[in-house]
Amino acid sequence: MTTERTLILLKPDAVERALRGEILRRIEAKGYTIVALAQRTATAEELAAHYAEHEGKPFYAPLVEYMAASPLVAVVAEGERVIEGFRSLAGTTDPTTAAPGTIRGDLGRQWDAPVLQNLVHGSDSPESAAREIAIWFPELG
């Protein structure tokens, strides 16, 4: 097994609902190590780089607007198979159908908003993780 790193974003809805501690507790309880953590309001440049693959899609502008509207928490977590493990811990993107026991299944809400507010983002591959970590934590990239 190889130790991996992943980027996790606690999205504005997680911060606004004061779920930071619970989400971080679940990450650490799973056995992952928090390598870096910062709460801040994302810049337009960070969001453009992070969501570059979605530029031009109908949900892009509302997504960037939502992510920039209030603070988020960027986290780098490390551990064995952390990318796959965190995505399983997070649950499916739709909080209504996410399994109980997952972050989104237990804590998520379904909103009639232009953008699905689903608490967290996790990198989907080692390549994405490296690219995303370099955006949010250039000192680690």
Side-chain angles (χ1 to χ4, degrees):
M1 289 297 215
T2 311
T3 300
E4 298 176 323
R5 285 186 174 178
T6 192
L7 179 81
I8 300 167
L9 296 178
L10 281 60
K11 296 180 179 182
D13 56 318
V15 174
E16 290 167 4
R17 293 181 51 214
L19 295 173
R20 290 170 296 228
E22 175 60 18
I23 293 169
L24 293 171
R25 183 197 67 76
R26 288 176 183 225
I27 293 166
E28 290 183 317
K30 185 79 173 171
Y32 303 132
T33 301
I34 304 294
V35 174
L37 182 144
Q39 180 171 311
R40 64 177 180 268
T41 301
T43 67
E45 294 78 21
E46 288 169 329
L47 293 170
H50 185 86
Y51 290 115
E53 67 198 54
H54 300 302
E55 190 172 1
K57 295 179 182 172
F59 61 85
Y60 177 81
L63 175 61
V64 169
E65 182 179 329
Y66 156 69
M67 293 294 289
S70 61
L72 56 75
V73 176
V75 176
V76 176
E78 183 176 84
E80 297 295 324
R81 296 174 61 194
V82 68
I83 295 168
E84 177 185 9
F86 177 75
R87 290 178 66 81
S88 178
L89 182 64
T92 58
T93 55
D94 183 347
T96 300
T97 60
T102 65
I103 292 167
R104 292 173 178 145
D106 291 350
L107 307 172
R109 296 179 179 168
Q110 183 66 42
W111 294 97
D112 258 348
V115 176
L116 186 63
Q117 298 179 8
N118 61 7
L119 302 174
V120 293
H121 159 84
S123 304
D124 64 5
S125 69
E127 298 76 22
S128 292
R131 182 182 68 77
E132 293 172 355
I133 289 168
I135 293 166
W136 297 95
F137 295 95
E139 68 278 11
L140 297 178

